[in-house]
Amino acid sequence: EAELLLVAIGRVPYIKGLNLEMAGINYDRHGIKVNDQLMTNKDDIYAVGDVIGGSMLAHVASAQAIAVVERIMGLEPAINLEVWPDCTFMSPQVASAGMTEEDCISRGIAYKTGKFSFSANGKALSMGETEGFVKVIASEADEKILGMHILGPNASDLIHEAAVAISNGLTVHEVTSTIHAHPTLAEAIHEAMHSVNGEALHAAPPK
């Protein structure tokens, strides 16, 4: 029971006081306009972080800044800015990386999913935190991991396995063929991967 409920919906870029008009920088209510290299309409001005809208997460802003500095130095940025862990620190925690089912549908990508509940995970049982699950989204054609969503204990820590897998184009088989320690929460990811395609995932993919 509660006396008050605070609802905070959405965030907007805070660009007041930046004198963007004077600098001739293009922007709208969604933020400063940048290209895929985070460059504004002015070749010598870049923008990163909340002012460009998008994910509006601190770790994404830091990665964008590093990428821009590397590009200014004449280097090719090594950071994959297309995939990041998105975490909500509540109880239970919520985290995701990559695509959703809605993303796949809108892009016309054939996909399949796998799911595993923390109620069947030994570590979660011992912690007394069995609420939640791990959900995996993989392409139907080659079983490449496209997205992962986690609701449950330590979701904000577990989601990084998904971010690494998606960033490097790993398949479901490549994750299931990797041993996961027992008893750990990460086993839920392993089991969710197995459930994408049942027993067929235990065999090596055809060459």
Side-chain angles (χ1 to χ4, degrees):
E1 296 182 359
E3 294 179 359
L4 295 173
L5 174 65
L6 172 64
V7 180
I9 301 176
R11 289 169 288 179
V12 295
Y14 188 78
I15 54 179
K16 293 180 180 179
L18 295 181
N19 294 321
L20 298 176
E21 296 89 348
M22 185 178 295
I25 303 298
N26 292 336
Y27 72 97
D28 59 20
R29 66 186 184 89
H30 299 295
I32 297 173
K33 297 296 184 182
V34 296
N35 61 17
D36 58 357
Q37 296 185 348
L38 299 171
M39 182 187 294
T40 68
N41 57 299
K42 298 292 184 178
D43 292 347
D44 57 346
I45 300 179
Y46 294 79
V48 302
D50 291 5
V51 294
I52 65 173
S55 65
M56 302 183 78
L57 298 169
H59 46 281
V60 175
S62 296
Q64 291 172 340
I66 292 171
V68 165
V69 170
E70 290 177 336
R71 183 165 284 115
I72 291 173
M73 294 174 63
L75 304 173
E76 184 63 30
I79 298 176
N80 182 353
L81 296 177
E82 300 300 316
V83 180
W84 61 83
D86 193 343
C87 308
T88 302
F89 299 95
M90 49 187 273
S91 182
Q93 293 184 9
V94 179
S96 64
M99 300 173 67
T100 63
E101 288 192 67
E102 290 76 13
D103 291 333
C104 293
I105 293 171
S106 65
R107 299 183 192 184
I109 299 174
Y111 70 94
K112 47 190 175 181
T113 65
K115 195 172 182 180
F116 188 79
S117 173
F118 280 111
S119 63
N121 176 267
K123 182 65 176 290
L125 285 165
S126 69
M127 294 169 61
E129 297 185 45
T130 57
E131 184 177 2
F133 58 86
V134 175
K135 181 178 180 180
V136 177
I137 299 173
S139 64
E140 186 176 44
D142 54 11
E143 294 185 349
K144 186 172 292 186
I145 301 166
L146 301 176
M148 186 184 296
H149 310 281
I150 304 175
L151 169 68
N154 295 8
S156 61
D157 298 311
L158 296 172
I159 198 62
H160 292 87
E161 181 170 352
V164 171
I166 299 168
S167 292
N168 290 279
L170 300 185
T171 65
V172 168
H173 174 77
E174 287 170 321
V175 174
T176 57
S177 63
T178 301
I179 298 173
H180 285 56
H182 173 78
T184 64
L185 296 172
E187 285 182 290
I189 294 176
H190 199 243
E191 294 295 342
M193 293 285 178
H194 274 300
S195 71
V196 169
N197 201 25
E199 292 299 317
L201 290 182
H202 293 270
K207 295 182 179 180

